[in-house]
Structure formats: C-alpha cells, structure tokens
Amino acid sequence: MRLRTALCSAASVLSAMALLSACGGSGTAAGSDSKPLVGVDYPRSDTDFWNSYIKYTPEYAKELGLSLKTTNSQNDVAKLTANAQTFISQGVKGLAMAPQDTAAIAPTLAQMEAKKIPVVTVDTRPDSGKVFMVVRADNRAYGEKACQYLGTKLAGKGKVVMLEGGLDSINGRDRTEAFNDCMKKNFPDIKVFGEATNWDGAVAAQKLQTDLTANPDIKGVYMESSFALAGTLQVLKQKGLLVGPEDKKHVFVVSNDGIPEELKSIAAGKVDATVSQPADLYAEYALYYLKAAIDGKTFKPGKTDHDSTIVQVRDGLLEDQLSAPLVTADGGTYGGVPSLKSDDKSLWGNTLG
C-alpha cells in the first residue's frame, strides 16, 4: 500500500521516523501482540465527506499497527468533551479529534495535556490550546481557488452567492475571509452575497432560493462544503437554472470536499468545480502523527515527503497542510490556479467503491 511504501522509504525526516514504527524500529510494529491504543472521535456522520473519513480510519489504524477506539460527537462540543473522558478512562495513548467549535475545545485540550495524552486535530485547528499536530489543508486556499475559478468564468463581473460554513469554525472563517479578500482584490466588480448557514444544508437552500428570487441575475454559487450540494442543485432545478455550461442560463457552482457525488456532478455539467479535501489523507496522517507522538518523535516546519508543508501557525503549534487540488471538468488553469480533471484517478473521490 501507499502508506507502507512511504513509511519504508526513509527519504526524509517523515519517512525515516515512520520507518522506526513500520519496519521494526522503536515503538510497536504492526502485527505485534501489543498495539498502542488510540482514540478517534468522529465529528459527525451526516455527510459523505465525514462518512468517507470514518471508512478510511480503521484501514489506516490496521496499517500502522494501532488498536482503535472510536466515538462520534455529532457536531456537539459537549459530547466531544464527554467522549474525551471516556477515552481517558479506556487508557488511550493518543487521541485524534475534529472539533467543529474550535474555541470551546480549549478546556478539553488542557485536560489531555495534563494527562500527557497527545492530541492530533483533523480538519480544524483549535483557537487556543496545545496539540501535537494539526492535520488539515490550507483552508484559505479553498476560498481563493473558488474565487479565482468563479471570477475567471464570470469575466470579473456579476453576482455570486457564498454559502458560508459555521463561522465558529476556523474552516468557515478561513474560507469566507479568503473568498471575500480575493474577490475584493482581483474581481472588484463581482458582488458577493455572503450567507451564514452553520453547515446546514436546509438553511443554505432556503437562503439561496431567497437570493435568486431577489436577484435572478446571480451567475455563481460558492458552497463552502458539500453539505449544500443537494439543496443547491434542487433550488437551481426549481428555478430552471440547472442547465449545462453551454447554456446562457447556467449558474456556475463551486464546492469544497471532492466527494464522489461532486465529481459525478462535474462530469454531468451540474457542478463546475470543487476543491478536493483529502478525506483519505486526513485519516492516514492523523493516525501517523499519533503513532509518532507515542513513539516520542518530533517535527519541524518544512516540506514533507507527501506533497505537503508543515507550518508553525503559532508558538508551539504545527500544522501539516495537505494537498487539496482544484477539480474541474477540463483540468484547466483558472486565475493561475491549475486543476485536475474530475475523472483523475488520483482523487480519493474516484477510488471509493
């Protein structure tokens, strides 16, 4: 498998460190009788993206030789806090979580630090508190890529709706701020209607419908996650706007996630682009860094051997920013941003059965 090959290559700091655990060095090797126990809290199971992450997690736990306990906090920070207590009582050696409220998680992180249980956060970065590593993509780049694509397609003029995620999340804030900043700088003649949705598909659909009724000349939609996909397509269909890109009535739609349904919709001409958020790599490297933490390894900012960059986002906090490519029907370059074709086999959304 890809992970085992990478771990055994010893081509860089990351692979050399992985070599110790996967190829017989210090720590617990895969297949031994004593596998380190780690906990993973799934943030939700009501989206295709997170269900894919849930599918990948046990596969990579087995690959890394880790014993796994899981919970699901259902987008509720109080449940996440309670789940952390459960993991402590179970004796986990490390914990991966994806807190959706990135401010409220601080007390739980402080408790885990006091217990000397390393934490890796996935997809989100806590507003305060210490974790061993943050595993996510550059979410500001999500907003910038969506902006460059829509701005190019609209030739710098017109109206677009941005269906924002939750602004209590660093992801929602990053994507929203970056999209707005890019539009103001590069496409000042495009008017953006920013709509708060709190990652709720029904709310997103209702607000899009209201905007299209008041502004029938809207020509673009930026969905900050695939949570809004079904509702957006339904609203466009009801308005007679779900037509191919060759039709003058076409509304250009950009999403974030790269789930299979998005890729199929791009090929069918219903959606125009997405940014593929790496559900597979989130699962792989969350567990990789937990294993490294248990083995006493450390990391520094810089390029990795898996097409990403570790950056220091604040004192004592590192983030591995994984690759998240723009995906389009033609694989073209938009506003200087290259893209992959929607049928590219390297995309995780094309590998699921």
Side-chain angles (χ1 to χ4, degrees):
M1 292 179 65
R2 181 185 71 241
L3 178 61
R4 181 59 54 83
T5 300
L7 290 177
C8 296
S9 69
S12 69
V13 174
L14 288 177
S15 55
M17 290 163 41
L19 187 66
L20 294 173
S21 58
C23 305
S26 63
T28 303
S32 70
D33 293 331
S34 180
K35 297 180 179 180
L37 177 64
V38 299
V40 176
D41 181 81
Y42 302 135
R44 55 200 302 170
S45 55
D46 59 349
T47 70
D48 288 344
F49 177 81
W50 284 113
N51 284 333
S52 298
Y53 172 78
I54 289 170
K55 172 186 176 293
Y56 285 119
T57 296
E59 297 176 7
Y60 284 114
K62 181 178 180 181
E63 183 72 18
L64 281 162
L66 297 171
S67 183
L68 183 66
K69 293 282 188 180
T70 64
T71 56
N72 191 320
S73 54
Q74 300 174 340
N75 206 26
D76 185 330
V77 71
K79 289 183 179 179
L80 176 52
T81 298
N83 291 345
Q85 304 305 313
T86 299
F87 285 130
I88 291 172
S89 69
Q90 291 172 333
V92 299
K93 303 300 182 184
L95 173 59
M97 63 171 71
Q100 302 299 283
D101 186 333
T102 53
I105 196 60
T108 299
L109 295 179
Q111 183 180 24
M112 302 304 287
E113 183 183 8
K115 296 285 186 180
K116 300 188 184 305
I117 299 173
V119 174
V120 171
T121 62
V122 180
D123 180 52
T124 62
R125 179 203 311 145
D127 294 355
S128 61
K130 290 185 177 181
V131 299
F132 181 79
M133 183 69 74
V134 177
V135 175
R136 67 195 286 258
D138 181 352
N139 277 246
R140 287 193 62 86
Y142 289 16
E144 292 166 359
K145 291 175 181 180
C147 161
Q148 291 291 352
Y149 182 85
L150 284 176
T152 300
K153 282 295 187 179
L154 271 59
K157 296 181 180 180
K159 300 176 182 178
V160 302
V161 177
M162 173 170 53
L163 299 174
E164 302 167 352
L167 298 184
D168 58 351
S169 160
I170 186 66
N171 289 355
R173 295 195 299 272
D174 276 357
R175 297 175 200 185
T176 297
E177 292 170 3
F179 186 82
N180 280 331
D181 290 347
C182 171
M183 280 294 181
K184 289 176 182 177
K185 178 182 178 181
N186 299 292
F187 308 104
D189 291 332
I190 292 180
K191 181 175 178 56
V192 178
F193 297 94
E195 299 291 2
T197 71
N198 197 32
W199 309 114
D200 187 312
V203 172
Q206 182 271 317
K207 291 191 174 183
L208 176 60
Q209 187 167 40
T210 298
D211 285 336
L212 283 169
T213 299
N215 299 273
D217 55 343
I218 284 171
K219 299 301 292 182
V221 178
Y222 170 39
M223 306 180 297
E224 291 190 5
S225 167
S226 59
F227 77 94
L229 179 63
T232 294
L233 295 183
Q234 184 61 32
V235 169
L236 292 177
K237 183 177 181 180
Q238 290 172 351
K239 296 284 186 180
L241 301 173
L242 193 60
V243 295
E246 72 285 347
D247 193 304
K248 291 182 179 180
K249 294 188 296 182
H250 182 74
V251 175
F252 290 94
V253 178
V254 181
S255 186
N256 289 163
D257 276 344
I259 62 172
E261 191 60 33
E262 285 176 329
L263 303 184
K264 293 175 184 176
S265 294
I266 291 173
K270 297 178 181 179
V271 171
D272 298 277
T274 189
V275 178
S276 180
Q277 184 170 220
D280 54 344
L281 300 184
Y282 280 2
E284 179 175 342
Y285 286 100
L287 294 170
Y288 166 79
Y289 284 117
L290 280 187
K291 182 68 167 59
I294 293 169
D295 289 346
K297 308 305 176 185
T298 59
F299 296 85
K300 294 181 180 180
K303 295 289 186 180
T304 73
D305 66 346
H306 49 271
D307 192 28
S308 69
T309 302
I310 296 176
V311 299
Q312 182 170 313
V313 293
R314 60 175 181 267
D315 188 34
L317 185 63
L318 298 178
E319 177 173 301
D320 188 356
Q321 295 186 339
L322 301 175
S323 176
L326 179 68
V327 181
T328 63
D330 62 3
T333 297
Y334 296 89
V337 179
S339 70
L340 297 178
K341 293 186 68 172
S342 60
D343 60 357
D344 193 296
K345 298 304 182 184
S346 70
L347 296 169
W348 69 268
N350 285 324
T351 66
L352 296 177

